[in-house]
Amino acid sequence: MNIAKTADRTVGQRAPASPAADGPDPAEIAAVRDDIRAKITRVLGQETERASLHDWYLAAALSLRERIATRWLADGRSARVTGRKRVYYLSLEFLIGRLFTDALSNLQLMETYARALRELGVDFREVKDVEPDAALGNGGLGRLAACFMESMASLAIPAVGYGIRYEHGLFRQAIAQGWQQEFPERWLEGGNPWEFERFDIGYDIHFGGRIEHRTSPHSDSVAWIPGETVRAAAFDTPIVGWRGAHVNALRLWSARPVAPLALDAFNHGDYAGASAQIARAEAISKFLYPSDETAAGRELRLRQEYFFVSASLQDILARHMREHGDIRALPARAAIQLNDTHPSLAVPELLRLLVDRYDLPWPQARRIAEETIAYTNHTLLPEALETWPVELFERLLPRHLDIIYRLNTDNLAAAERQRPGDIRFRAATSLIDETGGRRVRMGHLAFIGSHRINGVSAMHSELMKHTVFADLNALYPNRITNKTNGITFRRWLHQCNPGLTALLREVCGERVLDDPTVLKELEPFANDSAFQARFRTVKQDNKARLAGDLLRTLSLAVDPAALFDIQIKRIHEYKRQLLNALDTIARYLAIRDNPNADWVPRVKIFAGKAAPSYRQAKLIIKLINDIADTINRDASIRGLLKVAFVPNYNVSAAEVMVPACDLSEQISTAGMEASGTGNMKLALNGALTIGTLDGANIEIRDAVGADNIFIFGMTADEVVERRRAGLDASDAIAASPMLARVIEALDRGTFSPDDPARFAPIAHSLRYLDHYMVSADFDAYHHAQAQVDERWGTAAWETSAILNTARMGWFSADRTIRDYASDIWGV
Ligand code: 26V
């Protein structure tokens, strides 16, 4: 079929009248230009001739923010007037990245601003790169929250995201001699043009002290006499939906000392005492915990959790009472979603407010809380399941511990009713873990307090029912449901891959921007060689851009025509960057053996941060860098293999790497990756996946077709089975001469001549402690990689790549949010 003809037809028939199609309105460009100029002089107090790039960025952002604010107020008004039910998304992490291009693109003002800036003699691309990432999250969980906020705005669902305004987001990663180093991140340093400080909104948050049970003839009540109080101050960031459909707020709390206390010390000349008080309060919103390693059990973390939960719930109830006046109507007007267990304290906090402040009887309070709250689980890893020592709770949140005990009384009674005398069942369903010191189970708390509990992929939700929540699922059946994750296509296709988007608009029509199911219309072109060529050209351009970045940042020259093989995600043993590294070594040794064979040129690209205290993950980063050093220097392999570790992976880096990927590495040990969302971003942008049957990979395979993905390795059941038999991998190594050789090279110090023993611990685990099945899966992975080589460079590859893009529409976060809206929130 002739593409140009199709394009004429589709554009004529389907394109909604949009100004973007005809280019921006010159009058609007002039208005924006004058507005930006005025911001430079009147707001920033700078002369335009002397303005820096940063000044231009701030001025442009401030002018855009004004346009957003007008719509925002209108949307807030309409939500109040219509009394629509609101969604409250509670998350300790929002991994937003940049907002300028996001808002511009959603308002279809990108071209207008680019031209306005050009008329001022400023390069738009340079200006947009000035904006620091808002990195208020660790990885997938935080990025999911950001995608959901964008989707809810695009679907015009009234919603507020609640979190913490960390002064320092996720640390900046540098690589020195191959090792990860962490530096504090300072995203607020140059000012944040997106936030509105709400000077009129603040709540007191209490900690510590004691409780008093008061019995009177009419009622029993409990009074909490707190020992310490801090103030939560509100900062709102507008989240603009697609085509400006709707604007929602992300409300982040900042911790402040309670003014009179600190002032008092100050007035008595106790400056040290005053500043200590201020520092203690402000510590709460100072840092994002980079913990991806163990649920760290730090007191400050629990203070963060309670701080943001209490401020958010007080805010939700205040708004509800202002607008509706009847606390009992809460479940009809508010849906509270807990993003993992970090906000689990919402359960006892809401109960506390309903009982202690609104005088509701316990059973009614319980019903209201349960109907309002729902909980999303994001991991099954036992070491990631949050628990807190009872003793810490008692000291920090005595009233909440009291409520948790009361909840547990009901809970254990239900367990006893269902299975009389079953001690194991009682212990397993209890809110208190009694094995090895008494601890509060935050997952159980969220589960028991929620009407719905969801996993984030089909497989993960099934596993939840049979592992961590098996007993609670038996006690409270039908609460567990699945909501497979999604990604916002606005950021992860339209904005980050304008070349592909232009091609899609031409073939599928403008509708593709609004309805991802339209991507299906690409399918008839999958075998069209003319279309394949254009698809490939887009990919090539994106790869050339990434190659330019690699040259600039790493002084590494790579050929954009080579296969770009990319693994980007947090560094964690279960994600198995090590497996990829081992196969890289195997490939290197094989090329050295036979440099003149018909090798597919490959560039192996890794990026990701390790938790600062996670030693094994940091050693894996060092290994990748040592391998890169050896391989990139070795002229004998004629550049057939290059290895790059790109430092400081973040959302903005992903936006460059995702569109430039040929092969997407999704190789976690089966049963361990709850969903994955990077897998979706890369496949959507036309990468082929090499992956295990884990998380959403399974649904991706079902969507794109088994012929268009490279699946390998053990299944989740097989992993469980093999682990039960022990972690010794001697059998796998004996069966694979290649694996044996790679481990030996590691052990001999081939890649660490300066410290030959450096990777001995890794070699040891590979042999005897193969918990993550790296050795066990090596051969299957190696075989799958050979199939990748075989397919590369053929028309079949292009067909598969196109079919990946065509069939990934279902993974839009809009679909996910619609499912939450109908099945969980009732909005
Ligand atoms: C936390 C920890 C802390 C203790 C030690 C090991 C460990 C491992 C992982 C985590 C992260 C837990 C929460 C999380 O980020 N889950 C991610 O959520 C994404 C969004 O649903 C999902 O796509 C990822 O598969 C899942 O790992």
Side-chain angles (χ1 to χ4, degrees), residues 340-475:
D340 215 294
T341 56
H342 319 141
S344 288
L345 284 167
V347 172
E349 175 68 356
L350 181 53
L351 289 169
R352 180 184 76 88
L353 293 169
L354 293 176
V355 171
D356 294 357
R357 254 195 218 170
Y358 291 92
D359 289 326
L360 292 186
W362 176 256
Q364 191 177 15
R366 276 218 61 190
R367 195 160 32 75
I368 290 174
E370 188 180 301
E371 284 175 13
T372 307
I373 296 174
Y375 152 57
T376 307
N377 173 280
H378 293 270
T379 182
L380 301 173
L381 300 189
E383 68 269 37
L385 296 178
E386 222 185 341
T387 63
W388 290 100
V390 164
E391 164 275 314
L392 177 57
F393 247 92
E394 200 148 23
R395 186 154 52 76
L396 215 58
L397 300 165
R399 176 61 179 134
H400 296 79
L401 183 62
D402 195 45
I403 289 171
I404 288 168
Y405 283 151
R406 178 73 186 77
L407 259 176
N408 209 26
T409 307
D410 293 355
N411 178 50
L412 293 178
E416 182 59 22
R417 271 196 307 278
Q418 192 178 91
R419 299 196 193 168
D422 188 338
I423 308 276
R424 190 210 61 82
F425 191 59
R426 273 173 59 100
T429 49
S430 173
L431 284 171
I432 310 295
D433 181 357
E434 312 264 358
T435 58
R438 305 179 70 228
R439 302 177 74 94
V440 179
R441 294 170 163 152
M442 303 303 269
H444 280 42
L445 181 58
F447 191 115
I448 288 168
S450 297
H451 66 290
R452 282 285 176 282
I453 297 93
N454 76 283
V456 289
S457 74
M459 182 211 215
H460 168 66
S461 299
E462 269 320 296
L463 286 174
M464 273 169 67
K465 293 182 199 161
H466 300 110
T467 58
V468 260
F469 294 132
D471 291 296
L472 282 177
N473 184 45
L475 188 52

Side-chain angles (χ1 to χ4, degrees), residues 140-141 144 291-295 340 378-379 381 383-384 456 485 572 574-575 673-677:
L141 172 149
L144 186 75
S291 73
D292 226 30
E293 186 205 349
T294 47
D340 215 294
H378 293 270
T379 182
L381 300 189
E383 68 269 37
V456 289
N485 283 167
H572 203 293
Y574 84 79
K575 294 176 188 282
E673 190 70 272
S675 161
T677 45

Side-chain angles (χ1 to χ4, degrees), residues 719-729 768 770-771 773:
V719 169
V720 171
E721 191 64 24
R722 185 174 162 93
R723 267 195 202 137
R724 215 181 323 227
L727 299 179
D728 191 302
Y768 308 113
D770 193 24
H771 181 72
M773 306 287 142

Side-chain angles (χ1 to χ4, degrees), residues 14-59:
R14 295 174 187 152
S18 101
D22 318 310
D25 174 6
E28 173 118 39
I29 297 174
V32 168
R33 180 199 61 209
D34 295 346
D35 199 17
I36 295 176
R37 198 167 19 214
K39 291 278 180 291
I40 293 274
T41 52
R42 294 191 213 149
V43 180
L44 304 179
Q46 183 61 279
E47 290 169 54
T48 48
E49 294 73 24
R50 305 187 45 188
S52 65
L53 266 182
H54 188 258
D55 291 331
W56 288 115
Y57 157 66
L58 280 183

Side-chain angles (χ1 to χ4, degrees), residues 703-725:
V704 304
D707 292 344
N708 304 303
I709 186 168
F710 301 94
I711 294 290
F712 73 94
M714 298 162 73
T715 63
D717 288 341
E718 286 165 356
V719 169
V720 171
E721 191 64 24
R722 185 174 162 93
R723 267 195 202 137
R724 215 181 323 227

Side-chain angles (χ1 to χ4, degrees), residues 680-702:
M680 301 171 189
K681 292 162 197 166
L682 291 154
L684 176 63
N685 283 274
L688 271 58
T689 302
I690 183 166
T692 45
L693 287 173
D694 201 17
N697 292 354
I698 297 174
E699 287 152 274
I700 292 176
R701 179 202 58 181
D702 295 345

